[in-house]
Amino acid sequence: MTRALPRFPGRRTVLAAWLLLLLAALLQLLRTPFAADLSAFLPDRPEPRQQVLIEQLKSGLPSRLLLVGLEGGTAAERADASRRLAQALRAGGRFEQVSNGDTDGWRELGSWLFERRYTLSPAVTPARFTPEGLRDAIDESLSLLGTPAGQAIKPLLERDPTGETQRLAEAMIPPDAPRSEDGVWTSRDGRRAVLLATTRAEGADLDAQAATLAAVRSAFAALQAPALRLQLSGTPVFSVDSRSRIEYEVHLLAAVGLVLVVGLLGLAFASPRAILIAMLPVGTGVLAGIAVVGAVFGNVHGFTLGFGITLIGEAVDYAIYYLIQARRAPGEPAGRGWRAWLPPSSARSPTCRRRRRWRSATSWRGCTSATSPRRATRPCSARSAWCC
């Protein structure tokens, strides 16, 4: 007795629904941002100590400190380039602070300190303004006129006879200051001019950090100093380079995997049409998965794509299973191979459905293991999984 086949939607209906799904997924994909922020894996409700660590990782000074080095040329060329580069970076607005040892940028601060010298000086006490205290302070200032610092003290002597500005300056000098040459910081060997810059962008915002590094390179290129070389270091550089390397390796592995899969399918089926059929569910699944994640969570993390790539092989396997089972037998009309996927009428009972679940879980083991002649000769087909 011939079993009546179930009624399926028409091919045009299925094709139209599939195209609408792809169009909706593509529109969502264009609106979905891709993130690589590792702070997404940090605790949502951290403890106080954890909160301090998270803030330092996101926006702390170590995560935003950029070291800039200028090599090559003469010392005068490096010093001039250091001043011009620092001025350009300050004017660009991407840095909170740019320091290179040049004191020209401290003139406004020096005027502010001089106006408030008696308030800020650590030597100001009631005894400081007694006749004996004033005499001792003025004698100390006069004794410095014969030293190398006398040229800097002489213009201030009439307005600051007690030398409070000098004491403020001495308190601000760090114990281990960088080496200075021609008014700018240099490395210990004097072969490199050094600049320290603090970015405005948070350390976790890698896109903004990448734009900041590009701005530094553009500012250096505008100096037109072919004898000099730019070197960058610091957490922003490490973070951006790591992300770029990860993206490159992901793209490379994806391309290599795609070539291998297409090559294996070409050797197995020798048909461009079969390869296209095998790739359609993979592409549909990738678009649908990214669209759903983007719609639910607002963005797609790079790790999500990395783990998703590992499932491409599974998606290709289902297409291969279909292509193998859809091969028509000799004498069978074309386009009828899909009948092998339909369960026979005897497979509708509850007992058979329970057996079929167990057999579906173990059927592929029989396909790969031939420990008995019966297993070796049993056909591994989708229809055999329906048999009770």
Side-chain angles (χ1 to χ4, degrees):
M1 180 178 180
T2 305
R3 176 170 55 90
L5 297 177
R7 300 179 65 87
F8 292 99
R11 293 184 178 180
R12 294 183 179 180
T13 304
V14 175
L15 182 60
W18 175 64
L19 291 177
L20 288 176
L21 175 64
L22 288 185
L23 180 60
L26 184 59
L27 292 177
Q28 178 62 36
L29 177 63
L30 297 176
R31 299 170 49 190
T32 300
F34 292 86
D37 183 8
L38 296 180
S39 63
F41 299 93
L42 297 177
D44 294 333
R45 299 178 180 178
E47 299 176 356
R49 290 182 297 179
Q50 294 176 339
Q51 182 64 33
V52 173
L53 177 60
I54 292 175
E55 290 177 356
Q56 291 299 314
L57 291 175
K58 287 184 176 181
S59 58
L61 181 61
S63 66
R64 299 184 294 117
L65 185 62
L66 180 66
L67 284 77
V68 183
L70 301 177
E71 290 186 339
T74 62
E77 291 175 343
R78 292 193 297 269
D80 179 66
S82 176
R83 294 188 182 93
R84 290 192 293 158
L85 181 60
Q87 184 178 2
L89 296 181
R90 295 188 188 105
R94 293 183 178 272
F95 295 91
E96 291 183 352
Q97 183 179 0
V98 178
S99 303
N100 65 337
D102 190 5
T103 58
D104 292 341
W106 294 86
R107 290 180 179 177
E108 296 182 1
L109 178 61
S111 300
W112 186 88
L113 292 175
F114 183 78
E115 294 173 358
R116 295 162 177 80
R117 60 190 180 278
Y118 290 111
T119 304
L120 301 175
S121 175
V124 173
T125 61
R128 184 74 165 177
F129 297 97
T130 61
E132 294 78 8
L134 291 174
R135 184 183 302 109
D136 294 340
I138 294 174
D139 290 342
E140 184 179 355
S141 298
L142 293 175
S143 64
L144 293 175
L145 292 178
T147 65
Q151 296 296 327
I153 296 175
K154 187 175 181 180
L156 302 176
L157 185 59
E158 294 182 358
R159 300 177 60 187
D160 185 17
T162 58
E164 308 305 331
T165 304
Q166 174 192 349
R167 287 171 175 79
L168 287 177
E170 292 175 351
M172 296 178 60
I173 297 177
D176 297 325
R179 176 178 175 178
S180 180
E181 186 174 346
D182 290 340
V184 298
W185 289 338
T186 63
S187 58
R188 291 183 178 180
D189 56 7
R191 298 180 180 179
R192 183 186 305 114
V194 179
L195 298 88
L196 297 179
T198 306
T199 65
R200 294 186 182 275
E202 293 186 353
D205 191 353
L206 297 186
D207 292 334
Q209 294 289 1
T212 301
L213 296 179
V216 174
R217 295 186 176 96
S218 298
F220 174 74
L223 299 180
Q224 297 182 354
L228 301 180
R229 297 185 302 275
L230 176 68
Q231 288 190 343
L232 299 176
S233 183
T235 304
V237 180
F238 303 148
S239 302
V240 173
D241 289 349
S242 297
R243 185 183 68 169
S244 300
R245 180 167 299 182
I246 291 173
E247 291 178 349
Y248 169 76
E249 293 181 354
V250 167
H251 294 162
L252 177 62
L253 293 176
V256 172
L258 179 62
V259 171
L260 292 177
V261 169
V262 172
L264 291 175
L265 292 177
L267 292 176
F269 297 101
S271 172
R273 182 180 180 184
I275 296 176
L276 179 61
I277 293 175
M279 291 294 104
L280 284 179
V282 177
T284 304
V286 170
L287 286 178
I290 295 177
V292 170
V293 173
V296 174
F297 298 98
N299 61 69
V300 178
H301 201 278
F303 282 168
T304 304
L305 294 178
F307 285 113
I309 290 176
T310 62
L311 299 177
I312 289 180
E314 295 293 333
V316 174
D317 286 345
Y318 288 111
I320 294 175
Y321 299 156
Y322 170 78
L323 292 174
I324 293 176
Q325 301 302 328
R327 287 180 174 178
R328 59 175 178 170
E332 185 179 2
R336 308 298 293 274
W338 56 273
R339 290 171 176 263
W341 290 79
L342 297 177
S345 58
S346 60
R348 300 177 182 176
S349 65
T351 302
C352 186
R353 285 199 295 268
R354 287 194 295 268
R355 293 178 180 176
R356 189 166 66 247
R357 293 192 189 101
W358 171 253
R359 185 166 296 178
S360 297
T362 58
S363 60
W364 294 112
R365 185 184 64 179
C367 296
T368 58
S369 175
T371 56
S372 65
R374 181 180 178 183
R375 281 187 176 178
T377 57
R378 176 180 294 180
C380 295
S381 66
R383 190 175 182 87
S384 65
W386 294 106
C387 300
C388 293

